[in-house]
Amino acid sequence: MKKTVIIADDNAVLVADLKKFFGSVNGYDVVAVAENGVEALAAVEKFDPDFLLLDIVMPELDGFGVLAAIKSPRPAVIMMSQLNTDAFVQKALRYGAKYFLAKPFNFDFLLRTLDDFSGESEPALPAAQPARPAVKRNRSLDEKIANLFISVGIPAHIKGYQFLREAIKITVDDPEIINSITKRLYPSVAAAFNTTPSKVERAIRHAIEVAWNRGKIENINNIFGMKIYSANEKPTNGEFIALVADKMLLEGA
């Protein structure tokens, strides 16, 4: 008997690729998709799936809200997100997720993960994994980032503004670089501005602190659709860069 799967993610391209992938393997059936947290909860209640593939950043209700609201019996929740710092991973697991997949992820690895939780001894491997779509840069990316910085209270005159903007643009082009922030991302930004990685790190940290000191926490939470920060709870550089880059990608950057 096939295991049932619900995909909850507002990235239409990823959802389409996942549906195509599951259609090419044995043992799993995608019974519903949801583009926001409210739809995800309704689908879980209606279909009582074996697995829920759940993004963090979604409209109306974020992934953590979905995890908190799911009633027993719970499906096995596999969280999927670029927000893969320790804080987000631990929070997802505390809220009941069975596993955390950092985006972008390999579909074969996802399948093996589901097989592990299904107790399957022989994974149902596909003939071929569909190619992941290339990220296309939107010409208005700079404008989108600038508008977001205005909303969260990061002034344009400080050095961290330029460094942070460049770091986000690099991460949009190469999402995996956020996992090598010290070895790759900071040096890349530093090279663009003829400075040092340590100065880049400090300036970005200062820019984020400025935003928090200005008290626009509610704006920040509203922009990202998650009420997870307070005046006493600042994100790390990596978390903030990943949040903004993920938002830009979801908006078609």
Side-chain angles (χ1 to χ4, degrees):
M1 184 175 180
K2 289 186 176 182
K3 299 291 184 180
T4 53
V5 179
I6 289 175
I7 305 170
D9 197 307
D10 61 347
N11 185 328
V13 174
L14 175 61
V15 170
D17 281 351
L18 283 170
K19 287 182 66 179
K20 183 178 180 181
F21 174 79
F22 280 114
S24 69
V25 302
N26 297 319
Y28 297 94
D29 182 25
V30 177
V31 295
V33 298
E35 63 180 17
N36 62 64
V38 174
E39 290 182 0
L41 282 176
V44 168
E45 184 174 348
K46 179 178 180 180
F47 293 100
D48 188 23
D50 296 299
F51 292 98
L52 171 62
L53 306 184
L54 181 64
D55 190 19
I56 291 180
V57 181
M58 293 188 297
E60 298 192 37
L61 183 67
D62 62 72
F64 294 128
V66 173
L67 281 172
I70 292 177
K71 301 176 182 178
S72 296
R74 299 169 61 94
V77 178
I78 310 297
M79 190 68 84
M80 315 178 296
S81 181
Q82 279 186 305
L83 308 177
N84 57 350
T85 60
D86 286 345
F88 284 102
V89 174
Q90 292 303 318
K91 184 168 185 176
L93 297 179
R94 284 200 312 271
Y95 274 55
K98 292 292 186 181
Y99 200 81
F100 194 106
L101 278 175
K103 291 181 178 178
F105 53 85
N106 181 279
F107 287 8
D108 288 344
F109 182 81
L110 168 62
L111 182 64
R112 289 195 295 272
T113 300
L114 298 187
D115 286 341
D116 286 343
F117 283 108
S118 300
E120 300 287 348
S121 58
E122 294 294 331
L125 294 177
Q129 179 176 326
R132 300 300 302 279
V135 176
K136 294 183 179 179
R137 285 290 300 278
N138 190 311
R139 292 180 180 179
S140 64
L141 180 58
D142 282 343
E143 182 180 349
K144 289 181 178 180
I145 295 174
N147 289 337
L148 186 145
F149 282 4
I150 292 171
S151 298
V152 303
I154 299 176
H157 68 273
I158 62 176
K159 282 187 177 181
Y161 179 100
Q162 299 292 337
F163 295 165
L164 187 55
R165 184 177 64 179
E166 184 68 16
I168 291 165
K169 290 164 63 177
I170 292 173
T171 305
V172 167
D173 279 341
D174 180 14
E176 291 187 339
I177 200 171
I178 199 66
N179 299 317
S180 303
I181 190 168
T182 302
K183 293 183 178 180
R184 292 180 56 205
L185 183 55
Y186 290 153
S188 296
V189 176
F193 291 92
N194 194 29
T195 185
T196 65
S198 61
K199 288 182 178 179
V200 168
E201 187 276 334
R202 288 196 300 270
I204 291 177
R205 177 157 34 91
H206 173 67
I208 296 172
E209 288 173 352
V210 168
W212 253 251
N213 291 338
R214 289 187 169 196
K216 295 190 177 183
I217 311 304
E218 191 62 29
N219 286 1
I220 294 168
N221 286 328
N222 288 338
I223 286 170
F224 296 122
M226 298 181 293
K227 297 187 180 299
I228 57 174
Y229 293 120
S230 67
N232 298 319
E233 190 179 23
K234 294 189 296 291
T236 64
N237 289 2
E239 286 175 357
F240 189 82
I241 292 167
L243 275 168
V244 178
D246 193 48
K247 182 175 177 61
M248 296 298 105
L249 286 167
L250 291 174
E251 292 179 353

